């Protein structure tokens, strides 16, 4: 593994709980307000950290995985080859706003209450960059915020702010730059623009202070729009359809369609289904190709950031994280988008690069989640994880240590009125099994042996020999909900007319 000069942590998909920090090895550092920062005694010199987040990038759509033969991502490949690949990274909720709130707060969705893309972030929430500021860091944010508030004004925790409203737009965007709006034209492309601003900040920052930079891309969120230089680059390529995409073309030994939940079968003909995707506005093959073309500028952005660090000899004490905010389905079970608890939805890419000799492993196989990002970056800054965070630092894993670690992760998704096709979902996943439970509808639950059935094609929930496994995981799921205060389903008020095509325009 290449031990570069600055630890650059491209953290776009992190979520592990680590239990390695001894409380008697820390002392509290009081600050001027109600924030309390606990400093780790004897910690190394604080590291610079760059956290790069992408939107809707599934865990296996990177060149080095071989999942998409024609997709080339040389900079992600470099991070994986010369840095550390977190092979089992997951989100607690596979939806933009909840995931982003979990990254910043280190909390499960039912705790920070950003349960959908309309929910506001509570004024009382504390984001981990606020602690970094108190610890002497200069901080910056570039890109997509998208947590309920439909404005782009600066948020707490960041000294430099460049963002946009909601989902933003790929071409000719309007940015909020430290409180002032500026519009761009002449086919300005958002990925390139955000990267330029990020590198400008790196170049002009106070060189005497450690820094944290959060580069949050719009790409690759639908409606996918690649940079003009990448349009039609893959126009002649054909997607590989997953075995669960067209059940009528495979036998029951390949895909047990009988025990697929009815809601999944019905969703095939919906906004998020392959038979009527986006209400018939685009064909699947074109959708797939545009996604992969849009990924190319994202990979280039990563390369530009790393190149800057290399040229300025920053890799010795800088860590770069690359991560996705959630995954994305491309035909699995007849679905597109995310929101479900299948692997391609809840699993994300997570790559770590830089830091001199810090990274001792080529890959980390332990179960990691997005709630672990804040605690990890705080430990890199010499700060202890606040008690209100649910995640844990994965720094010991990156260093090659073997701390006691979680053996399962938990997932939750709450029904949304704008997209009523998907019910409320809770799931628990170990390194072998996954149990998925649906709330509020008469339907079948799911149990999969992930090790032997990675495509989740055979629901084992009816099989007597797996009864005890299902029962144990279900009990474990409810214990987790009760222990963390997640056993109350949040109720959100309806707004506007219905959008779903069967009942569009009604109330």
């Amino acid at each position: 593994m290449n031990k570069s000069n600055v630890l650059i942590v491209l953290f776009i998909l992190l979520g592990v709980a680590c239990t390695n920090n001894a409380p008697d090895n820390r002392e509290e550092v009081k600050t001027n307000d109600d924030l309390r920062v606990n400093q780790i005694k004897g910690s190394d010199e604080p590291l610079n950290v760059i956290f790069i987040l992408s939107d809707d990038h599934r865990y296996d759509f990177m060149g080095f995985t071989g999942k998409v033969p024609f997709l080339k991502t040389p900079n992600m490949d470099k991070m994986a080859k010369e840095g550390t690949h977190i092979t089992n990274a997951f989100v607690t909720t596979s939806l933009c706003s909840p995931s982003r709130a979990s990254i910043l707060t280190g909390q499960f969705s039912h705790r920070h209450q950003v349960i959908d893309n309309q929910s506001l972030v509570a004024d009382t929430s504390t984001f981990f960059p606020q602690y970094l500021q108190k610890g002497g860091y200069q901080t910056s944010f570039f890109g997509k915020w998208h947590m309920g508030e439909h404005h782009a004004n600066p948020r707490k925790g960041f000294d430099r702010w460049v963002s946009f409203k909601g989902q933003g737009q790929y071409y000719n965007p309007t940015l909020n730059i430290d409180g002032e709006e500026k519009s761009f034209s002449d086919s300005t492309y958002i990925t390139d623009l955000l990267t330029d601003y990020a590198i400008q900040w790196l170049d002009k920052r106070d060189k005497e202070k450690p820094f944290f930079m959060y580069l949050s891309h719009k790409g690759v969120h639908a409606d996918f729009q690649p940079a003009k230089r990448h349009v039609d680059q893959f126009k002649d390529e054909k997607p590989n359809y997953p075995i669960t995409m067209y059940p009528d073309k495979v036998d029951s030994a390949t895909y047990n369609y009988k025990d697929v939940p009815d809601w999944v079968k019905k969703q095939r003909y919906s906004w998020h289904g392959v038979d009527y995707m986006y209400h018939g506005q685009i064909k699947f093959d074109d959708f797939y190709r545009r996604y992969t073309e849009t990924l190319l500028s994202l990979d280039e952005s990563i390369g530009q950031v790393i190149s800057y660090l290399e040229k300025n000899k920053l890799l010795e004490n800088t860590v770069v994280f690359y991560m996705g905010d959630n995954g994305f389905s491309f035909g699995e079970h007849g679905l597109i988008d995310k929101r479900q608890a299948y692997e391609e939805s809840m699993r994300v890419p997570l790559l770590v690069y830089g830091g001199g000799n810090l990274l001792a492993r080529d890959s980390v196989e332990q179960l990691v989640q997005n709630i672990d990002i804040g605690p990890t970056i705080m430990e890199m800054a010499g700060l202890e994880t606040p008690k209100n965070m649910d995640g844990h630092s994965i720094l010991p894993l990156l260093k090659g240590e073997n701390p006691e670690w979680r053996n399962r992760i938990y997932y939750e998704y709450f029904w949304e009125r704008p997209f009523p096709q998907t019910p409320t979902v809770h799931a628990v996943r170990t390194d072998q099994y996954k149990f998925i439970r649906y709330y509020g509808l008469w339907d079948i639950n799911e149990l999969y042996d992930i090790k032997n059935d990675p495509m989740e094609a055979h629901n084992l929930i009816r099989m007597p020999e797996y009864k005890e496994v299902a029962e144990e995981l279900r009990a474990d799921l409810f214990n987790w909900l009760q222990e963390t205060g997640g056993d109350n389903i949040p109720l959100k008020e309806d707004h506007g007319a219905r959008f779903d095509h069967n009942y569009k325009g009604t109330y």
Side-chain angles (χ1 to χ4, degrees):
M1 186 188 319
N2 182 20
K3 302 297 189 268
S4 307
N5 294 352
V6 179
L7 181 57
I8 306 171
V9 179
L10 288 172
F11 222 6
I12 296 188
L13 175 66
L14 184 59
V16 175
C18 189
T19 58
N20 58 293
N21 297 332
D24 60 347
N25 197 34
R26 294 167 173 75
E27 61 182 7
E28 183 176 75
V29 178
K30 295 185 178 181
T31 59
N32 294 330
D33 54 21
D34 59 352
L35 285 177
R36 293 295 182 270
V37 180
N38 297 321
Q39 189 172 43
I40 303 172
K41 290 182 179 179
S43 60
D44 297 332
E45 195 71 19
L47 293 163
N48 303 315
V49 178
I50 296 176
F51 177 72
I52 302 176
L53 185 69
S54 61
D55 198 308
D56 287 359
H57 186 194
R58 57 183 280 165
Y59 74 100
D60 52 358
F61 272 44
M62 295 181 283
F64 69 89
T65 70
K67 174 70 174 181
V68 184
F70 59 82
L71 178 61
K72 308 300 180 186
T73 57
N75 298 296
M76 296 178 195
D77 297 359
K78 176 178 180 176
M79 289 189 71
K81 182 180 179 180
E82 300 176 7
T84 301
H85 178 206
I86 313 296
T87 59
N88 288 297
F90 298 85
V91 295
T92 60
T93 302
S94 52
L95 189 61
C96 293
S97 295
S99 179
R100 290 161 188 270
S102 289
I103 290 170
L104 282 165
T105 64
Q107 297 177 334
F108 296 115
S109 298
H110 66 256
R111 293 198 61 212
H112 59 61
Q113 288 290 295
V114 182
I115 61 165
D116 55 29
N117 284 345
Q118 288 73 47
S119 300
L120 302 178
V121 181
D123 291 337
T124 54
S125 295
T126 301
F127 308 138
F128 76 83
Q130 293 177 256
Y131 294 107
L132 298 182
Q133 285 180 318
K134 293 299 180 183
Y137 274 67
Q138 51 190 320
T139 63
S140 60
F141 182 90
F142 302 92
K144 180 178 177 179
W145 181 258
H146 189 32
M147 275 170 278
E149 303 95 334
H150 299 292
H151 65 82
N153 295 330
R155 266 63 169 205
K156 57 190 177 183
F158 300 101
D159 303 313
R160 173 65 165 167
W161 179 264
V162 178
S163 188
F164 48 78
K165 294 180 182 178
Q167 296 288 359
Q169 53 196 60
Y170 278 105
Y171 283 95
N172 302 329
T174 296
L175 299 182
N176 184 303
I177 304 172
D178 293 328
E180 299 292 330
E181 287 198 348
K182 182 177 181 180
S183 296
F184 296 82
S185 58
D186 298 326
S187 297
T188 301
Y189 190 63
I190 187 62
T191 305
D192 299 339
L193 183 62
L194 293 175
T195 305
D196 289 345
Y197 269 102
I199 291 177
Q200 287 173 17
W201 181 80
L202 286 173
D203 203 43
K204 295 179 180 179
R205 75 188 192 286
D206 184 347
K207 305 299 192 298
E208 300 301 316
K209 293 182 179 180
F211 67 85
F212 169 70
M213 187 178 83
Y214 193 138
L215 177 54
S216 179
H217 283 294
K218 172 178 172 57
V220 285
H221 195 280
D223 174 24
F224 313 131
Q225 294 182 37
K228 291 188 181 298
R229 60 187 177 276
H230 299 137
V231 172
D232 290 337
Q233 185 160 330
F234 299 137
K235 65 179 180 180
D236 298 324
E237 303 292 347
K238 189 75 172 177
N240 290 323
Y241 305 128
I243 60 172
T244 58
M245 184 170 177
Y246 294 115
D248 56 334
K249 295 182 179 180
V250 297
D251 57 29
S252 59
T254 301
Y255 183 28
N256 176 21
Y257 194 60
K258 173 179 173 291
D259 285 330
V260 171
D262 285 340
W263 77 263
V264 174
K265 297 175 180 177
K266 291 177 180 178
Q267 190 167 131
R268 291 184 63 95
Y269 192 77
S270 76
W271 185 263
H272 291 149
V274 297
D275 294 338
Y276 194 49
M277 49 190 296
Y278 295 94
H279 292 179
Q281 296 176 27
I282 190 171
K283 295 180 179 179
F284 180 87
D285 287 11
D286 293 333
F287 187 72
Y288 188 102
R289 285 188 288 259
R290 287 185 190 176
Y291 180 88
T292 53
E293 290 170 351
T294 305
L295 269 173
L296 298 180
S297 61
L298 181 62
D299 186 73
E300 291 175 351
S301 173
I302 292 170
Q304 287 180 261
V305 172
I306 291 177
S307 178
Y308 177 88
L309 296 171
E310 291 173 340
K311 291 177 180 177
N312 289 274
K313 303 184 185 305
L314 288 170
L315 282 173
E316 184 65 32
N317 65 337
T318 303
V319 178
V320 181
F321 288 89
Y322 172 74
M323 182 184 178
D325 68 344
N326 48 247
F328 204 85
S329 296
F330 275 102
E332 291 85 1
H333 299 284
L335 305 178
I336 60 167
D337 195 69
K338 53 267 187 179
R339 291 174 166 85
Q340 352 88 21
Y342 296 128
E343 288 290 282
E344 58 278 357
S345 176
M346 64 186 289
R347 197 168 173 183
V348 293
L350 182 54
L351 305 169
V352 186
Y353 185 82
N357 295 321
L358 178 68
L359 306 182
R361 284 179 173 163
D362 295 329
S363 65
V364 168
E365 297 181 356
Q366 284 90 337
L367 298 168
V368 175
Q369 287 193 277
N370 54 350
I371 53 175
D372 300 326
I373 293 175
T376 303
I377 294 176
M378 289 187 67
E379 185 172 3
M380 289 179 173
L383 305 175
E384 184 186 357
T385 300
K387 294 180 180 180
N388 68 340
M389 288 188 175
D390 298 310
H392 300 271
S393 170
I394 67 165
L395 184 56
L397 297 177
L398 297 172
K399 288 181 174 181
E401 300 170 8
N402 293 296
E404 181 182 352
W405 199 256
R406 66 166 66 97
N407 60 10
R408 60 197 60 202
I409 58 167
Y410 302 95
Y411 175 89
E412 58 189 346
Y413 165 81
F414 299 99
W415 177 85
E416 301 170 90
R417 184 170 174 266
F419 300 103
Q421 305 94 324
T422 305
T424 292
V425 183
H426 288 92
V428 53
R429 185 196 188 280
T430 69
D431 62 352
Q432 178 159 4
Y433 295 106
K434 181 191 293 182
F435 174 77
I436 308 174
R437 178 184 183 271
Y438 300 107
Y439 178 82
L441 76 169
W442 187 29
D443 211 333
I444 193 169
N445 290 330
E446 296 175 274
L447 176 68
Y448 295 103
D449 182 342
I450 300 295
K451 280 189 176 180
N452 297 303
D453 179 24
M455 293 301 297
E456 298 167 291
H458 300 280
N459 186 4
L460 306 175
I461 202 73
R462 294 186 191 272
M463 300 182 69
E465 58 266 42
Y466 290 96
K467 179 179 179 181
E468 291 185 3
V469 174
E471 186 177 18
E472 186 270 328
L473 290 178
R474 187 186 67 177
D476 181 63
L477 178 63
F478 275 93
N479 285 337
W480 167 71
L481 288 170
Q482 292 166 7
E483 290 172 1
T484 61
D487 50 356
N488 293 309
I489 303 295
L491 178 63
K492 299 295 182 179
E493 181 182 355
D494 291 346
H495 294 281
R498 291 182 61 163
F499 174 75
D500 44 314
H501 68 277
N502 283 342
Y503 313 104
K504 187 174 182 179
T506 68
Y507 291 85

